[in-house]
Amino acid sequence: MIPPTQGLWAIVLLVLTLGAAAVFGYRVLGLYRLLRLGRDEARIDHPWRRLRDELVVYLGQRKLIKRPYYIRGVGHALIFWGFLVITYGSADLFLRGIVGWQMPLTETVAYAWILDVFAVAVLAAVVIAWMRRAFVRPPRMHIVTEGYVILTLIGFLMLTLLTFEAAWFASAERDSLLNLGGDLFRTKTPAEMLASLVPPGAERTLFVGAWWAHVGTILAFAVYLPRTKHLHIVTTLFNVGFRKQTPRGALDLIDDIENKETFGAANIRDFSWKQLLDGYTCTECGRCSDNCPALATGKTLDPQKIVLDIRDQLLREGPKLLGDAKAETTAPAHWVETKPDELWACTTCAACVEACPVTIEHIDKIVDMRRSLTLMEGAAPPEAQRAMTNIERAGNPWGEPRETRGDWAQGLEIPTFAEKPDAEYLYFVGCAASYDRRNQRVARALAAILKSAGVSFAILGAAETCNGDPARRMGNEYLFQLQAQQNIETLNAAAVKKVITSCPHCFNTIANEYPQLGGNYEVVHALPLVKKLLDEKKITMTDGAAAEIVAYHDPCYLGRHNGIYDAPRDVLDAVPGVTRAEIAPHNRERGFCCGAGGGRMWMEEKMGQRVNHRRVDQLLATKSGATKVASGCPYCLIMLEEGVGAKGVQESIKPVDVLELVAARLETN
Amino acid sequence: MKILIVAERRDGELRRVTAEIAAKAKAFGDTEVVEVTGTDRYHPVAHANAVVARAKSSGADVVLTGATLNGRDLAARVAAKLGWAYAADCTDASVKDGAFQVKRPMYAGKVRATLRVPTPAVLSIRPGAWTLPAGTEAVKPAAIAADASAEKLKFARFEPTATSGKRVSLSEARVIVSGGRGLKGPENWKMLEDLADALGAATGASRAVTDAGWRPNEEQVGQTGKTVTPDLYIALGISGAIQHLAGMTSSKVIVAVNKDPDADIFKIADYGVVGDLFEFLPAFTEAVKKTKAGA
Amino acid sequence: MAASDVKFLVCLKQVPDSTVRVKVAADGKSIATDGITWSISPYDEYAIELALEHKDGDPSTTVSVVTVGPARSRDALRQALAMGCDDATLVIADDKAGGLDVAKAIAAIVKEAKPDLVLCGKQASDDDQGLVGPALAEALGWPHVGMLTKIAAAGDGVELWREIEGGHEVWSSTLAVVGLVHKSAKEPRYPSLPGIMKAKKKEIPEKDLAALGVTPGAPRAEVIAMEPPPQRGGGKILKADGDVKALAVELARLLHEEAKVL
């Protein structure tokens, strides 16, 4: 295919291309300089995982194609893959047009085929996307003119591409193309089919006109792109590449906290460059908001708004800050306008993080802003402050006496580590199972299971103290570190190697966060451990109890934060007489929070419906006939107990922990 | 021993505690009951001055007041002015080897202590600590005049609390009657209030109840509400989630009424009633009224 | 009250934290203090908060804190500094100093520091006496107001809100005056981290009773025995077997005769 750029026209194209490249480069550089206003953060660990993510998440579009977005996801993937193929073709067009070089394999029937198929597919996807915006208007999607402009540009690109291809086919022989792939591409390509529509004699004019229109549109696109959310085509590449490779459940450590002067994020400069890049990358698709339990129940929190507020603030204030390093900065918009209510409504359930197709990290920003409120201003809600004071003084957020922490185990012959220093496992009981009478039953159930399986374990008793999860998630990094250091000291002094928890929050914190402070243990949540014990036939359960249907509720800190979806289900399935029900579609990675995470357990919930009540609504809506709802988390248990009570269904559906179901059927010798 | 008892009035009537002290203190020696007059209200300085003057002029060895809001305030200042030993909120007192031996709660009620209080001494006595024998003659206190006119501290006005009405506030109450979801709806609160009135108690609620809007949020007892430590806490239809228990486990005596025998509240209750709330409550209110009338 | 530069002095006491399960020590007349958490007495925390709320509104306000107690009380002063108080003084004293001695020591500090308002919690949650505040006022010849929940400037003086049944008595007073705090408008504030760090570095001058001209020995009540707190749980469970009335009467009887709370 000979480009219409003989002689002077090649220079015209060169000048246009350089011009567009200069504008594109200038604008991107501007964005990059704004990004550098953010604080430093190293994101180059685990290079192989980053490469894998680029392949799977960026190229493979893995996070787009998932429940409940399969069709939309595939639509986007088609546009994206088409875009890649067409970009390859565009590179070919420009190289040939300017210097006469060609990209490999472009002179083949196979390439013409692939290019054309994608052009048609992209065109179709663009039309659907356009119509969806215009007529369906998904509620959480940010619909702006920009979106239409971009879709129209892409559509126009495809039309011009197909047109000049058709014009070329009308005047040339396909035999001039290398027939790579043989019979596979025997039939006519879409453009080839259109060739018959080209009026005889107009082939050349049409080819030249459509070619220049196509090339011109590409250049216009390049100039326009950095000003739009469609820059995500580029930024996603980086956002995925620089995503957090530490466990999702681990919040970042504030290192050397005693010698720092400011903590958390109170203005644009306090966010890291990666957090600001998240803003550039947001496509305003609204999936995070779609899945947010706080927003769903009428709170002011909207995870997409948090990300966009930070971006808008950066674009608004950034240029001034670049000019004057000492310029005053203001708090992000959602602080000032709606006050911190938004921030305190977050349960850190990670539904947003899970849903985001471009790996934006919402929780970290929210916690960073909470850190500023709590640590700098002492402005946490009063109930949160009370919980923190209780952790500080009594080692548990409820303010129960430190001295009675181990009392639940009285009379059960459960040794403390002091009494049994050679125990294989430490059972880290956690505050809820130590003090809440409902959850004490779960602790006793686990103890019975471990004994029955012959597992060697001990507890810390009164020497255990809150792991620090609520404090950290309320933004009190300092208190978290004090708690963590205290536990690490205790565990190390007892030479603990392996830790069992029955609480996913204890599990997450000890497994994923204690290593930040030098506490490295082999940590296992009770349910995967019980699954292992079942597989090894160390536990046997008796049949005989009445058959029952049990719905499984995914705790966020088991599921989304730590990927433990199957072990609890396997254990449930192994319980004689139990038929498992799912709370579909809000199950597994789409599980709906109980409302207690992120320190919310100890805060008032006055806005909208209570999250746990919505969860019970979802449970009842499945009409599964379940008479029990099982989870593997003490917070969930407390919230579900409250929820079924509030809904008046406590007689017909009882919240339990999976461990209790197992313990009730243990074969006793 | 010469004992000076300071009487206290409420709504024009002598408070019962004055009579209780007057009756019991006869066992310690000669008693004189006085009442400070001359001011509209209790004045911390003027009243202390008047009592101290009388104590000095009458040669008293002991000053006794009721451990009420004003009585405790007065007793402390009188003790300081006289430079005498002092014990507040005594639940019992006896004379031993020329000194008083008193019992009183310490550490926010977590400990019952016995103290030796050398005479001369000032003691405030908890209302109800000493039962009033039936047929005791009415007390007729002698008036002692206080003069607050020259004081720098002046009473300006009274600001009634808008919401609390006639009931005592939660944080100050000696007795609290709290309701949970077991009461089934705000329309049933009348029953709870009847009991509270019979007991002279404050009313509280669980979070479920305030969340549901059955009761105002100020009544919430628990983790996200108020922490209370009354002498008697009556939990009606409250299951005993830790969120609630965190706010009331330090109460001295806990009574729970719930129809679910497995309710966790029973594990911390001193007295538990398993049964139907709506049948039990009116009967209990009647029984309380009778007991109080007979007491 | 002057328009600016108001000086508060808050007297506080370090006591076993309210979450501590109190146990009687081997001597039978004190509590076991091994390994327990110590905090500022809750009403004293309210007093600090009340003063700091005034400082929030008028930054020219200074809030000083003082305590009379053993060396460990320094931690309580640090906590107060972390909350936002400006300076702290520790007067070292042991158990021999009773309430009247402590009041005298603080009076000596007051005479030096010349605060406009002195606030104390209405009682410390260890001995629960509520003696030091009125005794301090007496030692200084100042008036005092108990059950304080609010302070408002009024002309040259202040209005002091005293909570009683059904409302507040509002008292007006010239300065200086002692307030015995029952409650602050907001819960005592949680210190900011920069506040905690600053407090760690702050000098806390130490004085002893002798330097303040106080010789302990004023008459006082002395603990001679302590009973362990009654054990929770294992309570009496009553079940209605048809006769609800009898059950109600029985419960009323138990509360009256056994528990003695009716």
Side-chain angles (χ1 to χ4, degrees):
Chain A
M1 202 184 289
I2 313 295
T5 53
Q6 278 73 41
L8 267 183
W9 287 109
I11 295 176
V12 170
L13 180 61
L14 177 67
V15 169
L16 284 176
T17 307
L18 288 177
V23 175
F24 179 81
Y26 176 76
R27 288 181 171 176
V28 167
L29 185 69
L31 291 174
Y32 174 78
R33 290 179 63 213
L34 291 183
L35 210 63
R36 298 297 302 171
L37 283 169
R39 67 180 160 82
D40 281 335
E41 189 185 8
R43 291 284 187 128
I44 46 168
D45 52 331
H46 301 291
W48 292 111
R49 282 200 233 159
R50 294 185 189 281
L51 183 65
R52 183 203 60 199
D53 282 342
E54 291 291 8
L55 294 175
V56 175
V57 179
Y58 186 65
L59 291 179
Q61 301 273 287
R62 181 65 194 89
K63 290 201 80 196
L64 269 140
I65 306 170
K66 61 197 292 185
R67 281 197 303 163
Y69 308 107
Y70 286 120
I71 296 174
R72 280 163 273 177
V74 168
H76 182 278
L78 282 178
I79 296 186
F80 175 70
W81 291 327
F83 177 83
L84 291 184
V85 170
I86 284 151
T87 301
Y88 187 78
S90 303
D92 181 65
L93 286 184
F94 281 92
L95 275 180
R96 276 194 217 206
I98 298 168
V99 289
W101 300 344
Q102 66 180 59
M103 297 289 281
L105 303 176
T106 47
E107 289 287 318
T108 63
V109 181
Y111 177 72
W113 247 105
I114 293 168
L115 192 68
D116 281 8
V117 165
F118 272 112
V120 172
V122 168
L123 197 56
V126 160
V127 170
I128 293 168
W130 212 98
M131 309 262 277
R132 191 162 157 259
R133 268 153 218 274
F135 304 113
V136 182
R137 308 189 76 88
R140 305 238 192 283
M141 190 188 250
H142 243 226
I143 296 179
V144 287
T145 327
E146 190 190 303
Y148 289 112
V149 174
I150 288 286
L151 285 175
T152 309
L153 277 176
I154 297 174
F156 190 67
L157 272 178
M158 297 306 114
L159 279 177
T160 50
L161 174 72
L162 288 171
T163 307
F164 78 72
E165 289 258 301
W168 183 82
F169 272 113
S171 62
E173 283 301 313
R174 82 180 279 176
D175 292 353
S176 67
L177 298 174
L178 190 64
N179 192 7
L180 209 70
D183 286 353
L184 197 61
F185 303 106
R186 196 178 55 239
T187 53
K188 288 187 172 181
T189 78
E192 208 174 351
M193 283 187 256
L194 292 172
S196 58
L197 299 176
V198 176
E203 295 93 345
R204 183 67 192 163
T205 320
L206 200 59
F207 176 74
V208 172
W211 194 95
W212 276 107
H214 183 77
V215 164
T217 309
I218 292 173
L219 295 177
F221 201 87
V223 167
Y224 184 51
L225 199 66
R227 289 273 162 98
T228 71
K229 61 181 185 173
H230 287 77
L231 187 62
H232 79 266
I233 302 169
V234 183
T235 47
T236 302
L237 179 68
F238 296 100
N239 216 46
V240 168
F242 291 123
R243 80 190 283 195
K244 194 160 129 176
Q245 293 294 352
T246 47
R248 181 185 279 173
L251 292 169
D252 285 339
L253 182 80
I254 299 183
D255 210 12
D256 191 24
I257 192 164
E258 302 220 344
N259 293 312
K260 286 218 162 56
E261 280 171 7
T262 57
F263 312 94
N267 62 57
I268 285 306
R269 282 185 168 132
D270 296 334
F271 291 102
S272 78
W273 62 267
K274 171 61 178 63
Q275 289 175 326
L276 298 178
L277 179 63
D278 275 354
Y280 289 165
T281 313
C282 178
T283 67
E284 306 179 21
C285 72
R287 288 190 188 188
C288 53
S289 310
D290 253 352
N291 288 279
C292 174
L295 182 62
T297 53
K299 318 290 188 284
T300 47
L301 172 65
D302 178 345
Q304 176 175 276
K305 181 170 172 288
I306 299 271
V307 175
L308 294 183
D309 279 348
I310 294 170
R311 178 194 73 185
D312 293 346
Q313 186 94 358
L314 177 64
L315 295 178
R316 197 165 52 236
E317 275 195 348
K320 189 180 77 192
L321 293 177
L322 281 176
D324 176 7
K326 289 195 182 76
E328 286 278 313
T329 53
T330 53
H334 45 271
W335 276 45
V336 181
E337 284 159 21
T338 59
K339 302 294 168 201
D341 283 352
E342 289 179 32
L343 301 176
W344 294 112
C346 176
T347 66
T348 70
C349 76
C352 51
V353 179
E354 176 73 31
C356 181
V358 295
T359 68
I360 288 172
E361 291 144 6
H362 307 69
I363 296 177
D364 307 65
K365 294 181 191 59
I366 292 172
V367 171
D368 271 357
M369 289 186 274
R370 284 185 178 183
R371 281 174 173 175
S372 172
L373 289 173
T374 300
L375 296 177
M376 296 301 293
E377 301 182 29
E383 327 89 66
Q385 295 188 3
R386 190 188 299 176
M388 294 189 284
T389 304
N390 284 339
I391 293 173
E392 201 176 294
R393 297 183 183 176
N396 70 86
W398 285 286
E400 296 284 320
R402 206 181 272 278
E403 300 79 5
T404 62
R405 193 172 180 103
D407 286 7
W408 68 273
Q410 269 170 15
L412 299 179
E413 292 171 3
I414 298 171
T416 61
F417 241 86
E419 292 159 355
K420 190 181 175 184
D422 60 341
E424 183 187 357
Y425 283 100
L426 164 71
Y427 172 28
F428 191 96
V429 184
C431 303
S434 294
Y435 295 109
D436 173 37
R437 278 160 186 82
R438 177 67 190 86
N439 276 294
Q440 285 175 353
R441 303 215 278 269
V442 180
R444 288 191 205 106
L446 176 59
I449 296 168
L450 295 176
K451 281 188 174 183
S452 158
V455 174
S456 152
F457 75 102
I459 60 172
L460 290 172
E464 183 185 292
T465 186
C466 173
N467 68 66
D469 153 274
R472 191 172 223 195
R473 275 145 193 87
M474 287 171 175
N476 197 336
E477 176 70 8
Y478 184 60
L479 180 54
F480 162 73
Q481 291 190 13
L482 293 178
Q483 292 297 118
Q485 278 155 359
Q486 199 180 330
N487 276 321
I488 291 171
E489 257 170 49
T490 310
L491 264 62
N492 289 353
V496 170
K497 300 272 178 303
K498 297 180 178 179
V499 179
I500 308 172
T501 74
S502 50
C503 170
H505 296 264
C506 295
F507 170 73
N508 179 67
T509 301
I510 301 173
N512 298 330
E513 297 188 327
Y514 278 19
Q516 297 170 348
L517 292 160
N520 292 290
Y521 316 99
E522 191 186 320
V523 192
V524 61
H525 182 268
L527 290 174
L529 178 69
V530 169
K531 152 91 171 121
K532 185 166 153 265
L533 295 172
L534 283 169
D535 289 347
E536 292 167 355
K537 309 235 180 306
K538 290 193 173 146
I539 306 173
T540 37
M541 287 181 267
T542 45
D543 214 340
E548 55 187 347
I549 301 173
V550 180
Y552 180 68
H553 161 87
D554 284 278
C556 307
Y557 276 79
L558 267 195
R560 274 189 297 269
H561 278 289
N562 288 292
I564 301 172
Y565 296 110
D566 293 321
R569 288 177 165 81
D570 292 343
V571 173
L572 205 48
D573 291 345
V575 178
V578 165
T579 309
R580 171 165 53 89
E582 292 287 333
I583 314 177
H586 299 288
N587 59 342
R588 302 188 68 94
E589 83 289 352
R590 290 198 67 213
F592 195 86
C593 182
C594 73
R600 294 279 333 150
M601 167 84 87
W602 297 276
M603 291 184 234
E604 286 277 21
E605 188 179 344
K606 294 213 188 78
M607 247 185 282
Q609 189 188 21
R610 288 194 58 182
V611 174
N612 59 329
H613 295 180
R614 175 66 59 87
R615 185 54 172 159
V616 173
D617 284 344
Q618 293 171 349
L619 169 67
L620 298 176
T622 57
K623 295 199 169 41
S624 58
T627 53
K628 285 184 180 150
V629 51
S631 83
C633 173
Y635 292 11
C636 296
L637 186 54
I638 291 174
M639 296 309 265
L640 289 170
E641 287 276 8
E642 202 281 337
V644 298
K647 295 276 162 193
V649 293
Q650 67 272 40
E651 305 295 331
S652 53
I653 185 151
K654 295 213 182 302
V656 293
D657 192 288
V658 177
L659 294 171
E660 292 179 286
L661 297 174
V662 175
R665 290 168 176 82
L666 278 182
E667 198 138 85
T668 42
N669 306 324
Chain B
M1 208 174 317
K2 204 162 170 9
I3 298 145
L4 181 67
I5 299 163
V6 185
E8 194 182 337
R9 255 176 224 281
R10 183 189 190 192
D11 301 332
E13 297 285 316
L14 275 185
R15 293 187 80 137
R16 187 188 181 88
V17 64
T18 302
E20 289 167 357
I21 298 169
K24 173 82 177 190
K26 289 198 173 99
F28 308 142
D30 299 334
T31 59
E32 183 194 14
V33 184
V34 295
E35 181 186 8
V36 186
T37 56
T39 57
D40 288 347
R41 289 186 173 261
Y42 166 71
H43 187 291
V45 184
H47 278 224
N49 286 341
V51 171
V52 166
R54 181 64 158 224
K56 282 182 175 162
S57 68
S58 69
D61 306 293
V62 182
V63 176
L64 299 179
T65 74
T68 58
L69 218 59
N70 292 344
R72 283 191 67 164
D73 194 90
L74 174 70
R77 184 124 193 177
V78 167
K81 211 170 189 57
L82 291 165
W84 292 3
Y86 172 61
D89 202 23
C90 302
T91 55
D92 203 1
S94 57
V95 181
K96 201 175 175 188
D97 307 330
F100 271 95
Q101 195 157 313
V102 304
K103 287 195 186 301
R104 57 184 300 272
M106 285 176 70
Y107 294 93
K110 291 177 185 170
V111 164
R112 292 179 210 165
T114 308
L115 294 88
R116 184 181 172 277
V117 191
T119 48
V122 181
L123 307 175
S124 62
I125 310 293
R126 178 179 283 205
W130 290 327
T131 43
L132 194 59
T136 310
E137 251 179 71
V139 179
K140 291 199 181 63
I144 54 172
D147 182 5
S149 56
E151 293 297 334
K152 294 172 187 163
L153 181 71
K154 289 191 168 20
F155 175 75
R157 62 188 184 279
F158 181 72
E159 296 269 355
T161 310
T163 50
S164 80
K166 58 181 173 162
R167 262 186 216 98
V168 268
S169 77
L170 264 182
S171 47
E172 268 311 290
R174 284 262 164 85
V175 181
I176 292 173
V177 182
S178 252
R181 203 183 282 117
L183 268 120
K184 298 215 156 68
E187 64 279 6
N188 295 325
W189 237 256
K190 177 78 177 61
M191 293 170 78
L192 183 149
E193 283 168 337
D194 287 345
L195 175 61
D197 289 342
L199 287 162
T203 57
S206 69
R207 177 168 166 180
V209 163
T210 53
D211 273 357
W214 298 356
R215 299 297 299 171
N217 207 46
E218 302 88 73
E219 288 193 10
Q220 192 193 128
V221 173
Q223 177 72 31
T224 52
K226 291 198 170 70
T227 302
V228 296
T229 52
D231 295 339
L232 174 60
Y233 189 93
I234 303 182
L236 304 170
I238 292 175
S239 61
I242 190 165
Q243 304 284 38
H244 187 74
L245 300 190
M248 48 64 78
T249 30
S250 302
S251 305
K252 264 142 249 162
V253 174
I254 296 172
V255 174
V257 185
N258 205 299
K259 69 173 182 213
D260 175 8
D262 296 326
D264 285 325
I265 189 91
F266 288 129
K267 304 213 173 66
I268 60 143
D270 301 284
Y271 299 97
V273 175
V274 181
D276 186 286
L277 205 59
F278 300 102
E279 283 176 26
F280 177 77
L281 205 45
F284 183 54
T285 304
E286 278 314 302
V288 165
K289 280 184 190 159
K290 280 201 186 115
T291 308
K292 285 224 145 189
Chain C
M1 187 153 41
S4 63
D5 302 315
V6 177
K7 285 169 83 173
F8 280 86
L9 177 70
V10 181
C11 316
L12 61 85
K13 187 173 188 185
Q14 191 191 42
V15 299
D17 187 72
S18 58
T19 64
V20 168
R21 166 154 297 188
V22 173
K23 280 194 202 121
V24 176
D27 69 359
K29 56 181 188 178
S30 62
I31 64 151
T33 54
D34 269 0
I36 67 169
T37 309
W38 297 89
S39 315
I40 300 173
S41 177
Y43 293 113
D44 298 343
E45 272 191 314
Y46 285 128
I48 294 167
E49 176 62 26
L50 206 58
L52 290 177
E53 279 165 15
H54 193 274
K55 189 178 163 82
D56 292 340
D58 176 4
S60 73
T61 309
T62 49
V63 180
S64 308
V65 283
V66 60
T67 190
V68 181
R72 61 168 156 72
S73 310
R74 190 178 287 273
D75 295 340
L77 294 174
R78 292 239 183 268
Q79 169 78 9
L81 292 173
M83 288 170 78
C85 296
D86 297 282
D87 58 80
T89 307
L90 171 62
V91 179
I92 293 284
D94 58 18
D95 289 350
K96 287 190 202 82
L100 296 179
D101 301 320
V102 170
K104 263 184 222 151
I106 299 174
I109 297 279
V110 169
K111 279 171 192 156
E112 248 171 68
K114 298 190 175 58
D116 302 297
L117 281 134
V118 176
L119 301 181
C120 320
K122 67 170 181 179
Q123 68 200 61
S125 67
D126 52 358
D127 65 16
D128 289 321
Q129 283 267 58
L131 174 60
V132 171
L136 171 64
E138 183 58 37
L140 292 165
W142 296 3
H144 80 264
V145 169
M147 293 299 288
L148 189 68
T149 61
K150 184 174 163 183
I151 304 165
D156 287 339
V158 278
E159 279 192 350
L160 301 155
W161 291 53
R162 176 176 191 249
E163 183 173 312
I164 62 165
E165 261 175 56
H168 282 86
E169 291 175 348
V170 182
W171 293 81
S172 64
S173 177
T174 54
L175 298 172
V177 60
V178 175
L180 316 178
V181 177
H182 169 56
K183 195 107 192 159
S184 48
K186 285 183 257 167
E187 285 290 299
R189 62 198 56 197
Y190 195 83
S192 72
L193 188 48
I196 294 171
M197 294 305 161
K198 234 167 78 189
K200 277 193 179 179
K201 293 183 193 124
K202 211 159 223 169
E203 282 281 311
I204 297 179
E206 202 175 291
K207 306 199 169 176
D208 60 25
L209 290 178
L212 297 170
V214 179
T215 316
R220 62 181 296 194
E222 183 196 349
V223 179
I224 53 173
M226 272 187 188
E227 272 177 71
Q231 277 288 320
R232 252 291 112 69
K236 281 192 179 138
I237 300 293
L238 314 169
K239 277 193 182 117
D241 299 319
D243 194 351
V244 176
K245 273 223 172 86
L247 186 73
V249 170
E250 172 65 1
L251 180 62
R253 187 194 67 79
L254 286 169
L255 292 178
H256 179 60
E257 289 174 13
E258 194 179 86
K260 293 191 194 302
V261 284
L262 269 195

